[in-house]
Amino acid sequence: MSSTIRLLTGPVGATRASARAAFARVLADRLEALVEVRTTPTYGDLLELVLDGETDIAWVPPAVLVRAMDEPTTHLVASGVRHQRAHFRGALFCRADAPYQNATDLSGARVAWVDRNSCAGFLFPRLSLAQLELDADTLFAEQRFLADHVAVGRAVEGGELDVGATFVQHESDAVDSPIVNAGWELTGARERMRPLLVSEPIPSDAIVATDACASELRSRFAVALLHLHESKDGAAVLRELFAVERFEPTTLDRYEAVREAMRVTA
């Protein structure tokens, strides 16, 4: 193995050490190259390292993707598919026993956000509030950024904060269909939480490559990634690290809604 691929993730990947190692092993076998998977503490750090070419490949959330793709040194490789869909939604949620019935009841509440570059954990829930003519900066008595979805879930579950922002995925494209996956489930709190507001669809997180990765190796990586779900071990590592069924080719125009949300909530 003469080549090395450096793959970078944000804070979500930091909680999945065994999954990172398994993904590196499986991909290395297919590429006949060493694969190193590292994490960053924040999405801002992730963006900076991508733009500086300090990684070959990166798993990025949609807002980081849009910012990174403004530079010609970043190349879009693929986007994730979960529950047969290449999108998810953002939500504001509270404990099941909380007094709030909807977003208009949240005056004076304390909110937990993930990160300013998180679509589900900040941008799209704030956009949804704005569409209801609610200003998050005056609506909430306190706003905190906790860096990842697990921390947000724990803060709301423990009563440290009243409401949190995270991701949700529904059984169908209908917003009133059953929720099949949600950020608060990362703490095991499925029945102890409920959504108060659900955003418009958000295009999936993506895999990007930088100019630091040689074009030939970049192409081999893309082929391997797009076919990884076809084997049992490949499907397992995709599920465990990225929580996706597979990756598929994508285009930047899918992410125009993200750019608009960034503009409106700036």
Side-chain angles (χ1 to χ4, degrees):
M1 295 185 180
S2 58
S3 301
T4 300
I5 291 182
R6 301 167 299 169
L7 189 146
L8 197 60
T9 85
V12 173
T15 64
R16 304 172 184 175
S18 62
R20 296 198 310 269
F23 175 78
R25 287 194 303 271
V26 169
L27 200 61
D29 288 343
R30 284 158 173 76
L31 293 175
E32 297 185 350
L34 293 174
V35 178
E36 299 176 351
V37 184
R38 297 181 295 123
T39 66
T40 64
T42 71
Y43 292 139
D45 294 323
L46 176 61
L47 175 62
E48 182 177 349
L49 290 170
V50 169
L51 293 178
D52 288 346
E54 294 297 320
T55 189
D56 300 301
I57 307 291
W59 172 32
V60 296
V64 172
L65 169 69
V66 168
R67 297 186 197 279
M69 290 297 293
D70 284 339
E71 297 297 326
T73 54
T74 309
H75 312 276
L76 182 54
V77 175
S79 64
V81 176
R82 299 179 178 89
H83 301 282
Q84 302 181 45
R85 291 172 179 80
H87 62 259
F88 57 101
R89 295 176 188 266
L92 287 176
F93 69 97
C94 64
R95 287 174 30 157
D97 59 0
Y100 315 115
Q101 298 304 310
N102 53 56
T104 59
D105 296 333
L106 293 176
S107 178
R110 302 164 300 168
V111 64
W113 304 115
V114 174
D115 185 287
R116 291 186 185 276
N117 285 305
S118 172
C119 282
F122 181 68
L123 292 169
F124 275 70
R126 281 180 67 97
L127 176 61
S128 295
L129 288 173
Q131 290 168 341
L132 294 172
E133 299 184 349
L134 296 171
D135 181 351
D137 292 332
T138 57
L139 178 67
F140 297 113
E142 181 181 355
Q143 301 184 68
R144 288 194 218 167
F145 291 90
L146 302 184
D148 63 66
H149 295 274
V150 172
V152 168
R154 287 174 178 162
V156 176
E157 184 179 16
E160 180 182 352
L161 296 170
D162 304 307
V163 60
T166 193
F167 62 86
V168 295
Q169 194 135 28
H170 293 79
E171 188 174 78
S172 73
D173 287 339
V175 72
D176 58 352
S177 64
I179 291 174
V180 295
N181 187 29
W184 58 77
E185 294 178 357
L186 296 172
T187 66
R190 179 175 178 81
E191 303 301 329
R192 298 191 295 277
M193 303 290 181
R194 57 184 170 85
L196 294 167
L197 172 153
V198 176
S199 79
E200 293 298 313
I202 305 167
S204 288
D205 43 285
I207 301 292
V208 299
T210 75
D211 277 354
C213 186
S215 59
E216 185 272 338
L217 190 55
R218 186 192 314 158
S219 297
R220 287 169 52 207
F221 172 86
V223 171
L225 182 73
L226 293 172
H227 290 278
L228 209 54
H229 66 283
E230 296 170 359
S231 67
K232 184 177 180 180
D233 61 344
V237 296
L238 289 178
R239 183 173 59 253
E240 291 164 9
L241 179 56
F242 304 103
V244 300
E245 299 159 9
R246 59 186 171 86
F247 282 99
E248 66 177 14
T250 191
T251 58
L252 189 57
D253 57 8
R254 282 190 184 182
Y255 293 85
E256 282 306 310
V258 177
R259 193 178 296 278
E260 177 63 11
M262 292 164 61
R263 185 190 66 78
V264 171
T265 59

